[in-house]
Amino acid sequence: PLKVDNITDHKTHTEHYFMPKVTADIINQTKQAGGRVICVGTTSCRTVESVAQKGDICECSGDTDIFIYPGYKFKCMDGLITNFHLPESTLIMLVSAFYGYDKTLKAYRTAVDEKYRFFSFGDCMMII
């Protein structure tokens, strides 16, 4: 959860990632051919966006503390499959950065009205 008044003061959690060569090659070939990269989960999003900061996607591993919030310009990801996250969390900020604040709120209102399940083992959505 965000516990700061100014979003830029937030220090987000760190996650370890590994980008295998075969995956990097597929992502690069897909992008070069005009295809879309659809991430499954926020961890894979943070991984490809962290690796993309360096240019082309390449085999690598490391830790990322990338904080994606509205205003962020996505460099690799073109779509996201993710569950419904808690309000005022870094993960809903990531979703809002990709989908837009107003559309995200509308989707969440629908989820609440329809009694979708939230959290890790709840319902999910695909955003393209």
Side-chain angles (χ1 to χ4, degrees):
L2 292 169
K3 296 182 179 179
V4 295
D5 291 330
N6 184 342
I7 193 170
T8 60
D9 292 335
H10 178 76
K11 177 71 173 146
T12 197
H13 66 286
T14 300
E15 293 183 286
H16 184 74
Y17 66 86
F18 172 66
M19 175 65 68
K21 181 178 183 340
V22 65
T23 304
D25 290 346
I26 290 169
I27 290 171
N28 288 324
Q29 291 166 4
T30 299
K31 294 299 271 186
Q32 289 167 1
R36 295 186 293 188
V37 172
I38 310 294
C39 291
V40 179
T42 56
T43 297
S44 63
C45 167
R46 292 179 76 208
T47 297
V48 299
E49 289 300 312
S50 294
V51 174
Q53 302 291 319
K54 304 169 189 170
D56 282 343
I57 304 298
C58 60
E59 177 182 20
C60 60
S61 65
D63 295 313
T64 182
D65 63 355
I66 190 171
F67 180 24
I68 298 174
Y69 55 89
Y72 177 83
K73 302 293 183 215
F74 287 85
K75 292 153 189 63
C76 184
M77 186 180 81
D78 301 301
L80 177 64
I81 298 172
T82 189
N83 58 331
F84 287 88
H85 303 288
L86 289 173
E88 299 180 13
S89 68
T90 59
L91 300 178
I92 198 166
M93 295 293 234
L94 185 155
V95 171
S96 294
F98 184 70
Y99 194 47
Y101 180 78
D102 290 336
K103 290 190 281 186
T104 299
L105 282 182
K106 184 177 178 185
Y108 273 69
R109 277 190 212 106
T110 298
V112 169
D113 291 346
E114 297 296 324
K115 299 184 179 11
Y116 291 2
R117 293 171 294 152
F118 281 58
F119 313 122
S120 297
F121 297 104
D123 292 304
C124 70
M125 60 185 151
M126 180 173 181
I127 307 166
I128 50 175

